[in-house]
């Protein structure tokens, strides 16, 4: 009888990788349901028509926009306020607890502007239109079938309009910021169906904080606004047209329309209320029932001072006219995604007796695709990736980088983090140095929600969050595990040593208790306080210790002696707070368990430092009691929030490490709105840290963790689960 748990050699042929991927390629016929095609830097999100007729954005990690600045305001000169910590004064962007002076109107306007700007920008909407550009409404079409072909990297849609069938194939180039489309329909011949590229003015946010299942509105732009942007169409001959876009903040980009086989291209037309002729390019068919085109997006912003913005580090692949032909683009995408699926990690649960295997496998396969499509570009991704502009205006959160990035290493795809590493070194470290100096610290202190070009922190309370300072250490350690070379050491050493300098400087030595105290200011991962009265949180104490241990390892690898100050800190750092035999969020709040006095529920973030990573200050027996109490509260409903999509995998990993394998699976598939996955694969509608957390947990439960024994130690051993996997590595 074959083993139910098998770690198979990659390429050995024992897992039919194509079969796993194809049985999880979604067919989703909801008209407004959005599916993503992307290459990690650029994404085309389309509705069930295969285009963006009713919903969907075209986004890139380089595409940002800022609203005009308030009168008398100059971006970059953020006001700072003195905050006392153990008699030492730090300079923070927000006033400390008990501040008696109210904000002025100018201060409030500045805080709002920094939060809103810059925001990710929807580059273009590519949509079907009717005769003479008339609007097509959702009730006008009947969706026959829409499939996301994961194995080949394309969307295939079939729908009916005016009683005729329309077939559409859409794909994104693996290396260029380009989308290619082929349309087949009798409606093209007489002009009853055409395509428009319409350009809108950006919204600051599209997605709500509470993560609705479907965005409202359906786009990250408004298309009936004429002012604030400019659209110019140029005919470059031989089938190439160029649309030059200029925004009111000085931003500039271009769309090259190539291979417009079967289409004539022109600017303008009539206004139809929902779009304007000033910002619309029409593609009308001729005498053919088939038509193709490719839209290539190129950033023209900041070309004169690209180095200042870090844009010079992004090596762009520029498509030639021949390479932009739809057939070639389709073949390039197919070759790329075939190689993606034939390499790296894969898991097969199909021989399981537990019927939930189908849903878990679906989530795993789609999460692999979505993370590669959204989050493998020139900078860390936002929580919604390239799907839409989220509540935080599309800016990324550095305290979430491990959730996005660590799973790449466990699934054998660490190379997808290349652009991130360059961002950390080129932009991130520069801004971290500036933040440390501004606060009055040595070294480099990483921002929570930085402007993507490193110019400012977008949230006035952002510097209170400190977890993000540790994530580069963990990613660096995973990078070295994947490639233990001198080059890896070179890429990360400045980040590690300069951040270590800040971390040592940030600690306070309490002579009375003979220990190091962390904070205040400190906003814990539980997100219960603004941070000015919080200190010695369980998560952050362990993260500090983890980072300092890694720093010592890197010193040894580089032939440097052990740092005596680090050794002293590791010996005398405060222990995580324990009340009634369980870990609590923070020593500063001994009365707080699951909610603050104001009723705000906490995230059980302190499980991270046992489930996701093994905190060196954690006692497993105390953690087991802590997990049991948290689990009981969540299952009974007494602990009513503040969980996110990544927290269910965190619970699963904690359960697995404690030997609760059945509970681990139950947490992965726990029935909760924020642990649901759309037919397209997005956690909670759009929350990619949930997708990353799922991959992290499944890697740990399948390949194991340091010290675990056997294959699939995180899955039940009662015969209900059969787990076969290749190319997945153990989790530290």
């Amino acid at each position: 009888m074959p083993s139910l748990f098998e770690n198979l050699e990659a390429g050995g042929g024992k897992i039919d990788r194509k079969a796993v991927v194809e049985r999880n390629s979604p067919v989703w016929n909801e008209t407004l349901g959005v599916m993503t095609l992307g290459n990690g830097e650029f994404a085309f999100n389309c509705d069930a028509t295969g285009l963006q007729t009713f919903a969907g954005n075209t986004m890139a990690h380089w595409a940002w926009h800022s609203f005009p600045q308030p009168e008398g305001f100059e971006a970059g000169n953020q006001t700072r306020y003195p905050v006392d910590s153990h008699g030492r004064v730090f300079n923070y962007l927000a006033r400390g607890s008990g501040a008696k002076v109210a904000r002025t109107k100018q201060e409030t306007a500045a805080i709002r502007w920094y939060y809103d700007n810059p925001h990710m920008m929807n580059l273009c909407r590519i949509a079907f239109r009717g005769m003479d550009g008339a609007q097509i409404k959702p009730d006008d079409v009947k969706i026959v079938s829409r499939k996301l072909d994961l194995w080949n990297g394309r969307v295939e849609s079939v729908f009916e309009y005016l009683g005729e069938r329309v077939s559409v194939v859409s794909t994104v180039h693996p290396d260029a910021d380009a989308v290619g489309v082929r349309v087949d329909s009798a409606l093209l011949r007489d002009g009853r169906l055409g395509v428009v590229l319409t350009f809108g003015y950006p919204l600051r946010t599209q997605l709500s904080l509470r993560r609705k299942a479907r965005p409202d509105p359906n786009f990250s732009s408004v298309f009936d606004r004429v002012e604030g942007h400019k659209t110019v169409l140029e005919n470059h001959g031989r089938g190439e047209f160029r649309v030059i876009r200029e925004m009111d903040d000085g931003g500039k980009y271009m769309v090259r329309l190539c291979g417009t086989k079967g289409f004539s291209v022109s600017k303008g037309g009539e206004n139809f209320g929902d779009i304007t002729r000033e910002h619309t390019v029409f593609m009308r068919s001729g005498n053919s029932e088939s038509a193709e085109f490719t839209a290539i997006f190129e950033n023209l912003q900041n070309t004169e001072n690209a180095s200042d913005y870090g844009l010079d580090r992004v090596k762009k692949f520029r498509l030639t006219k021949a390479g932009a032909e739809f057939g070639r683009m389709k073949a390039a995408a197919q070759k790329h995604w075939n190689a993606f699926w034939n390499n790296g990690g894969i898991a097969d649960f199909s021989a399981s007796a537990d019927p939930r295997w189908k849903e878990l496998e679906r989530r795993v396969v789609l999460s692999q695709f979505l993370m590669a499509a959204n989050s493998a570009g020139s900078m860390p991704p936002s929580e919604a990736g390239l799907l839409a502009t989220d509540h935080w205006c599309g800016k990324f959160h550095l305290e979430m980088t491990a959730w996005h990035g660590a799973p790449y290493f466990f699934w054998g795809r660490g190379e997808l983090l290349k652009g991130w590493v360059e961002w950390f070194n080129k932009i991130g470290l520069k801004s971290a140095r500036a933040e440390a100096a501004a606060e009055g610290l040595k070294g480099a202190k990483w921002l929570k929600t930085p402007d993507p070009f490193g110019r400012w922190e977008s949230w006035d309370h952002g510097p209170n969050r400190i977890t993000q300072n540790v994530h580069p250490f963990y990613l660096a350690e995973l990078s070295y595990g994947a490639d233990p070379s001198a080059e890896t050491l070179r890429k990360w050493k400045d980040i590690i040593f300069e951040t270590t300098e800040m971390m040592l400087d940030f600690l306070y030595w309490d002579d009375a208790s003979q220990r190091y105290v962390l904070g205040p200011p400190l906003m814990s991962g539980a997100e219960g306080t603004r941070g000015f009265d919080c200190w010695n949180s369980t998560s952050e104490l362990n993260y500090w210790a983890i980072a300092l241990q890694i720093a010592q390892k890197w010193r040894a690898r580089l032939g440097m002696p052990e740092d005596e100050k680090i050794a002293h800190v590791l010996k005398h750092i405060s222990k995580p707070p324990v009340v009634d035999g369980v870990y609590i969020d923070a020593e500063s709040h001994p009365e707080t368990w699951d909610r603050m006095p104001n009723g705000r529920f906490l995230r059980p973030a302190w499980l991270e430092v046992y489930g996701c990573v093994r905190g060196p200050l954690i006692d497993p027996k105390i953690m087991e009691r802590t997990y049991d109490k948290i689990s009981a509260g969540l299952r009974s409903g007494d602990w009513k929030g503040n969980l996110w999509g990544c927290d269910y995998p965190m619970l699963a990993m904690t359960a697995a490490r404690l030997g609760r394998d059945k509970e681990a699976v139950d947490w992965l598939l726990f029935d909760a709105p924020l642990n649901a996955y759309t037919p397209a694969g997005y956690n909670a509608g759009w929350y990619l840290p949930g997708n990353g957390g799922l991959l992290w947990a499944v890697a740990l439960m399948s390949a194991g963790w340091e010290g675990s024994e056997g294959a699939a130690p995180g899955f039940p051993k009662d015969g209900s689960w059969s787990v076969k996997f290749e190319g997945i590595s153990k989790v530290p």
Side-chain angles (χ1 to χ4, degrees), residues 332-353:
Q334 180 171 321
K335 180 180 179 181
H336 168 81
W337 286 105
N338 287 180
F340 176 87
W341 293 115
N342 278 317
N343 295 279
I346 195 79
D348 181 350
F349 305 135
S350 61
S352 299

Side-chain angles (χ1 to χ4, degrees), residues 463-535:
N464 295 5
R465 189 72 185 266
I466 62 172
T467 313
Q468 65 273 12
N469 290 285
V470 182
H471 286 219
F473 289 78
Y474 190 56
L475 295 175
E477 195 69 1
L478 294 176
S479 296
Y480 188 78
D483 178 20
S485 66
E487 177 63 14
T488 301
L489 293 173
R490 182 195 65 79
K491 286 180 179 179
W492 289 100
K493 70 179 181 66
D494 289 345
I495 291 171
I496 286 179
F497 292 150
E498 292 186 44
T499 308
T500 298
E501 187 178 16
M502 180 279 299
M503 297 175 81
L504 295 173
D505 193 27
F506 188 79
L507 290 163
Y508 168 72
W509 173 254
D510 182 51
D511 199 52
S513 60
Q514 292 289 292
R515 62 175 181 155
Y516 288 96
V517 176
L518 185 63
L522 183 162
M523 181 189 295
S524 77
E527 301 178 343
T529 72
R530 288 296 174 99
F532 290 113
D533 57 354
C534 182
W535 45 275

Side-chain angles (χ1 to χ4, degrees), residues 20-128:
V20 172
V21 174
E22 288 189 336
R23 68 174 173 249
N24 290 289
S25 290
V27 175
W28 190 20
N29 294 344
E30 182 179 342
T31 305
L32 274 65
V34 171
M35 287 179 164
T36 298
L37 294 167
N39 58 25
E41 177 71 6
F42 168 87
F44 179 76
N45 301 283
C46 59
D47 61 34
T49 67
L51 298 183
Q52 298 157 334
T53 309
F54 312 117
N57 300 301
T58 305
M59 309 193 91
H61 284 297
W62 51 260
W64 297 87
H65 171 264
S66 292
F67 296 135
Q69 298 177 16
E71 186 175 351
F73 169 80
E74 183 180 351
N77 295 323
Q78 289 177 285
T79 302
R80 290 183 178 267
Y81 306 93
V83 175
D84 180 81
S85 176
H86 305 287
R88 181 179 180 183
V89 176
F90 295 106
N91 301 306
Y92 272 68
L93 297 176
R95 289 187 173 96
S97 298
K100 294 180 171 54
V101 181
R103 290 173 177 166
T104 66
K105 289 184 178 179
Q106 290 79 7
E107 287 175 324
T108 301
I111 289 169
R112 180 79 258 177
W113 192 90
Y114 281 119
Y115 189 92
D116 291 350
N117 297 284
H119 38 264
M120 291 192 77
M121 178 172 58
N122 182 11
L123 291 165
C124 177
R125 174 186 170 194
I126 304 176
F128 284 113

Side-chain angles (χ1 to χ4, degrees), residues 184-381:
D184 291 280
S185 177
L187 296 171
L188 294 172
R189 182 181 294 277
D190 57 10
R192 287 184 292 163
L193 185 68
V195 174
V196 297
L197 278 69
T198 186
F199 300 89
Y201 190 80
L203 294 170
R204 61 170 292 276
T205 182
Q206 178 188 354
L207 302 172
S208 75
L209 180 62
R210 296 317 303 167
R211 301 170 296 282
K212 294 179 182 178
R214 189 170 65 217
D216 181 20
N218 296 318
F219 305 97
S220 289
S221 304
V222 291
F223 298 100
D224 57 356
R225 174 170 168 167
V226 175
E227 66 278 6
H229 54 137
K230 184 179 179 181
T231 306
V232 176
L233 176 66
E234 300 175 353
N235 187 343
H236 279 249
R238 297 186 178 181
E240 178 173 339
F241 295 82
R242 295 183 181 180
V243 184
I244 309 300
R245 290 276 292 152
E246 296 183 17
M247 307 302 296
D248 56 1
D249 65 346
K252 191 174 182 180
Y253 65 96
M254 173 174 65
V255 185
R256 294 168 55 210
L257 275 173
C258 298
T260 52
K261 188 184 300 182
F263 280 120
S264 62
V265 180
S266 64
K267 174 82 182 296
E270 298 296 326
N271 282 330
F272 292 97
D274 63 319
I275 60 174
T276 65
R277 63 173 175 267
E278 289 87 352
H279 301 296
T280 300
V281 172
F282 284 84
M283 292 194 293
R284 296 177 174 87
S285 57
N287 296 318
S288 174
E289 294 186 0
S290 298
E292 299 173 357
F293 69 91
T294 295
I296 307 164
F297 295 79
E298 298 183 6
N299 185 18
L300 305 178
Q301 187 173 9
N302 303 314
T303 53
E304 295 180 0
N305 58 339
S307 180
D308 293 342
Y309 288 88
L311 297 173
D312 58 333
R313 79 193 194 290
V314 182
K315 305 298 187 294
K316 284 294 179 184
F317 178 89
R318 199 168 195 273
L319 278 177
T320 63
K321 288 183 182 179
E325 189 267 333
F326 171 77
R328 294 193 180 189
M329 184 180 292
K330 178 182 172 185
Q334 180 171 321
K335 180 180 179 181
H336 168 81
W337 286 105
N338 287 180
F340 176 87
W341 293 115
N342 278 317
N343 295 279
I346 195 79
D348 181 350
F349 305 135
S350 61
S352 299
D354 190 321
R356 295 177 297 171
W357 75 265
K358 292 183 179 180
E359 177 59 15
L360 183 58
E361 188 181 272
R362 181 187 80 87
R363 294 181 181 191
V364 168
V365 171
L366 284 167
S367 293
Q368 289 179 268
F369 177 83
L370 290 174
M371 298 300 284
N374 282 281
S375 307
S378 57
M379 60 182 65

Side-chain angles (χ1 to χ4, degrees), residues 372-699:
N374 282 281
S375 307
S378 57
M379 60 182 65
S382 79
E383 309 211 333
L386 297 170
L387 176 68
T389 310
D390 61 22
H391 178 79
W392 301 280
C393 307
K395 290 186 279 289
F396 44 81
H397 298 226
L398 288 187
E399 84 277 11
M400 301 306 296
T401 49
W403 293 101
H404 290 279
Y408 289 137
F409 293 99
F410 309 141
W411 290 78
R413 298 189 176 101
E415 73 280 357
L416 296 181
L417 235 64
K418 179 182 178 182
W420 294 26
V421 179
E422 293 179 358
W423 183 91
F424 275 113
N425 276 290
K426 181 76 177 185
I427 297 176
L429 185 56
K430 181 180 178 181
S431 70
R433 290 167 178 159
E435 179 61 26
E439 289 186 22
L441 289 161
K442 300 175 183 177
K445 186 169 188 273
W446 295 80
L447 297 169
K448 177 197 186 302
T449 318
D451 156 61
F453 304 113
R455 297 169 293 184
W456 53 72
E457 164 64 48
S458 298
W459 184 36
D460 58 328
H461 286 272
N464 295 5
R465 189 72 185 266
I466 62 172
T467 313
Q468 65 273 12
N469 290 285
V470 182
H471 286 219
F473 289 78
Y474 190 56
L475 295 175
E477 195 69 1
L478 294 176
S479 296
Y480 188 78
D483 178 20
S485 66
E487 177 63 14
T488 301
L489 293 173
R490 182 195 65 79
K491 286 180 179 179
W492 289 100
K493 70 179 181 66
D494 289 345
I495 291 171
I496 286 179
F497 292 150
E498 292 186 44
T499 308
T500 298
E501 187 178 16
M502 180 279 299
M503 297 175 81
L504 295 173
D505 193 27
F506 188 79
L507 290 163
Y508 168 72
W509 173 254
D510 182 51
D511 199 52
S513 60
Q514 292 289 292
R515 62 175 181 155
Y516 288 96
V517 176
L518 185 63
L522 183 162
M523 181 189 295
S524 77
E527 301 178 343
T529 72
R530 288 296 174 99
F532 290 113
D533 57 354
C534 182
W535 45 275
N536 275 356
S537 57
T538 296
S539 295
E540 282 66 31
L541 283 169
N542 276 277
Y543 279 131
W544 238 243
I546 289 168
L548 295 178
Q549 285 182 340
I550 291 173
Q552 292 285 51
K553 287 182 181 180
W554 280 62
R555 292 180 65 86
R557 290 165 183 160
L558 288 163
M560 301 168 65
E562 183 181 79
D563 186 282
E564 293 182 3
K565 177 64 180 291
I566 294 176
H568 192 263
V569 169
L570 289 172
K571 184 177 181 180
H572 295 286
I573 194 169
S574 296
K575 298 297 187 287
V578 177
V579 174
D580 295 332
V582 298
Y583 289 118
I584 62 171
D585 176 40
E587 185 178 342
S588 55
H589 295 73
E591 76 289 348
T592 297
W593 169 243
D594 62 350
R595 72 201 79 183
M596 298 299 293
N598 63 5
R600 177 182 173 87
F601 280 89
L602 306 183
R603 283 185 64 230
W606 48 106
L607 295 183
E608 285 183 13
V609 290
Y610 187 80
C612 303
V613 293
R614 282 298 304 269
L617 308 178
I618 291 296
D619 181 320
K621 292 182 179 179
I622 299 175
M623 180 54 75
E624 186 165 20
R625 293 194 296 269
T626 305
Y627 164 80
D628 284 338
K629 186 173 180 180
I630 291 172
S631 177
L634 292 171
R635 292 182 184 279
S636 69
D638 185 51
W639 191 322
K640 294 182 172 59
N642 170 29
L643 268 68
W644 297 72
C646 57
D647 292 326
Y648 299 95
M650 174 189 71
L651 285 156
M653 287 186 273
T654 305
R657 288 186 192 260
L658 291 170
R660 313 283 190 83
D661 47 28
K662 183 180 183 300
E663 292 176 41
V665 174
D666 289 344
W667 282 121
L668 284 186
L669 297 165
F670 191 76
D671 185 13
L674 299 186
N675 195 40
Y677 286 68
T678 69
Y682 283 98
N683 167 247
W686 54 268
Y687 190 65
L688 283 172
N691 294 92
L694 174 77
L695 294 177
W696 195 337
V698 171

